[in-house]
Each structure stands twice: as structure tokens, then as C-alpha cells.
Amino acid sequence: MIIVPVLSIVIPMKNEAGNVRQLVSEIDEACSDLPDYEVIVVDDGSEDDTGEIARSLIAGGKSVRVLRHAKSAGQSAAVHSGVQAARGQFIATLDGDGQNPPSEIPTLVAPLLDPDRDKRLGLIAGQRVGRQDSWSKKFGSRFANGLRSRVLKDGTRDTGCGLKAFRRDAFLALPFFNHMHRYLPALFTRDGWAVGHVDVAHRSRGEGRSNYSNFQRALVGIPDLLAVAWLIKRRKTANSAAETLTAFEQSEQTQ
């Protein structure tokens, strides 16, 4: 009998061959008391052995699925592909560089797995404390988060954290665009979902080096911010996605 997992853990990875084994091992240790889960590694056009190492874990008995983009499409595209392929009702994401401790996953997903949760709860966003990054990276992130918060009023201190948990159906109902992963609190709120926040630890990068620079983020940040502000202004004014999906769930339960 095929067991359908409740939770799918999606990890976007590009050139993270040195981090795959350790990360999956830590996930297994951290999530041993959670309901059935699967791990989905999305190899975003890596030029190293990231995909091969991930597939070797399957042969070793790990509950891992591996997707591959033939060429790199970016973190948002990798997350989106992973969520599309996921079988779980709920999704947890974390970065593939090892800076997001998998030990934070149970705390992150707990509000969504609570049977007495608010049915409008769509997203739990991790917010990093004690960041282990360079001064320039922290300064750039602080500036970007401050600007985004003032423009979008999304009530989130840190949207750049890779640790997030959300409803799969709610995520797939969002408009997709590159770099959308940095605007999930605003987008979920736009669709009528409640957004929760959890402070999470942060640690130094594992093997390899970052695939993005502050300059690269800045180049796309302003246009993306304006686009999200436009999407919020043009949101659907009839039933929100949250109302529609929640009503559908309730009708399914009464049948």
C-alpha cells in the first residue's frame, strides 16, 4: 500500500553536492516524530554532483525524491516545481546551503499540523535570529526587508528566510513569477490567508559558496516589489482564494 505523506519537505539546490547528505540526514533526525513525510530535492541545473548524490540516497533507503531542471531557473522556480510534484497537503521549505537548521522544521510546521488550527492559516514564515552572514549581506537584507515592509505592509520582519511552511493548495493558487519566494507573506495575505511567524536559528553556510550576490538581488528587487504592490492592489474583490478553498474543504468533509 502506498502511504501518502502529510508533509513534503522541498529543498531547492544548485551546486550543493557537499551539503546534500548532511542536510537529508539532519532532516530525518529532526522529523522522526512527525507524521509521514517525504523529502524532495530539486536540482536546479547544478554543474556538480548534487543530483547524483541525492539519487544515491534513494538507493540507500532514504525517503527522497529528486527533480532536475535541465538549466538553472532560480530558487522560486525550483520551489514551485517541488511543490507541484509534492504529495503532501502541507509543504516545508529550507535552503540547500545548510544555513537553515532542519531541527527547526517541527516547530515551523506544528501550527499547520494542529487539528484545531484556524482553517484560514495558510503560511508560517521563519524569521532568522542570530544570523551567521557577512556584514554586507546582513545590511543588504535589513535594507531590503525594511523597504518591502514599508511598501507592502506584510507584517514580516524577514522574508528572505528559506524556512517556511504552508498549505500546498494555497501556494499553487498564487500567481507565479521569478523571485516570488521573497514575497510569500504578502501574497498569502493578498489571497485572504492568515500568516504566522516563528523565530528560527541560523548558521554558517556548509560546503560551497553562495549562488547570489547582494548586487544581483538589488537588480531584481525594486521591479519585483512594484509588481507585488500592483498584484495586491488588483487582487480579486469577490471571494478570496482562502474563502474558496476553505469552503471546498468543508463541503468535501460533509459528503
Side-chain angles (χ1 to χ4, degrees):
M1 181 178 69
I2 298 176
I3 299 176
V4 178
V6 174
L7 175 68
S8 297
I9 301 170
V10 176
I11 317 172
M13 287 189 161
K14 180 183 177 182
N15 298 333
E16 300 289 359
N19 296 315
V20 182
R21 293 183 189 278
Q22 179 67 24
L23 204 54
V24 172
S25 177
E26 288 187 52
I27 289 172
D28 282 346
E29 181 178 352
C31 299
S32 59
D33 292 331
L34 290 180
D36 293 314
Y37 68 91
E38 63 179 354
V39 177
I40 300 177
V41 173
V42 184
D43 176 9
D44 185 35
S46 295
E47 298 166 343
D48 64 4
D49 294 332
T50 297
E52 288 77 3
I53 293 173
R55 282 187 286 274
S56 75
L57 297 176
I58 301 172
K62 298 288 187 182
S63 179
V64 177
R65 298 168 62 198
V66 183
L67 307 179
R68 175 172 170 78
H69 290 165
K71 61 180 181 178
S72 179
Q75 186 169 346
S76 285
V79 170
H80 196 264
S81 293
V83 175
Q84 284 183 312
R87 295 175 295 178
Q89 178 184 0
F90 301 107
I91 307 293
T93 65
L94 70 165
D95 291 341
D97 58 11
Q99 290 197 271
N100 300 144
S103 58
E104 299 285 4
I105 294 176
T107 303
L108 190 73
V109 303
L112 288 170
L113 297 181
D114 183 350
D116 297 322
R117 71 184 182 280
D118 178 356
K119 299 305 180 185
R120 295 297 180 86
L121 183 61
L123 168 72
I124 303 295
Q127 300 190 123
R128 294 165 289 188
V129 293
R131 284 188 62 178
Q132 302 299 306
D133 277 325
S134 66
W135 177 87
S136 62
K137 200 168 186 178
K138 286 189 283 188
F139 176 81
S141 178
R142 190 177 299 116
F143 175 81
N145 276 311
L147 178 61
R148 185 212 68 255
S149 181
R150 285 192 294 273
V151 173
L152 302 182
K153 297 177 174 56
D154 58 8
T156 303
R157 185 182 76 241
D158 174 23
T159 62
C161 179
L163 277 164
K164 292 184 175 69
F166 46 81
R167 290 176 50 136
R168 177 179 181 270
D169 55 359
F171 176 88
L172 292 177
L174 300 176
F176 173 79
F177 55 93
N178 284 335
H179 314 293
M180 69 175 289
H181 67 281
R182 295 186 174 277
Y183 300 94
L184 290 185
L187 293 171
F188 270 82
T189 300
R190 167 188 178 269
D191 273 9
W193 297 104
V195 175
H197 300 87
V198 173
D199 284 347
V200 296
H202 190 251
R203 60 190 185 185
S204 300
R205 198 186 208 287
E207 302 290 331
R209 59 188 179 87
S210 177
N211 295 303
Y212 308 99
S213 68
N214 283 340
F215 179 69
Q216 287 173 312
R217 291 187 179 98
L219 283 177
V220 299
I222 298 301
D224 287 343
L225 181 60
L226 295 175
V228 174
W230 183 88
L231 284 170
I232 292 172
K233 187 175 182 179
R234 299 302 185 195
R235 65 184 177 273
K236 186 178 179 181
T237 56
N239 288 350
S240 66
E243 291 172 325
T244 301
L245 289 172
T246 302
F248 177 76
E249 274 187 348
Q250 292 171 342
S251 67
E252 287 285 290
Q253 292 169 359
T254 58
Q255 289 180 5

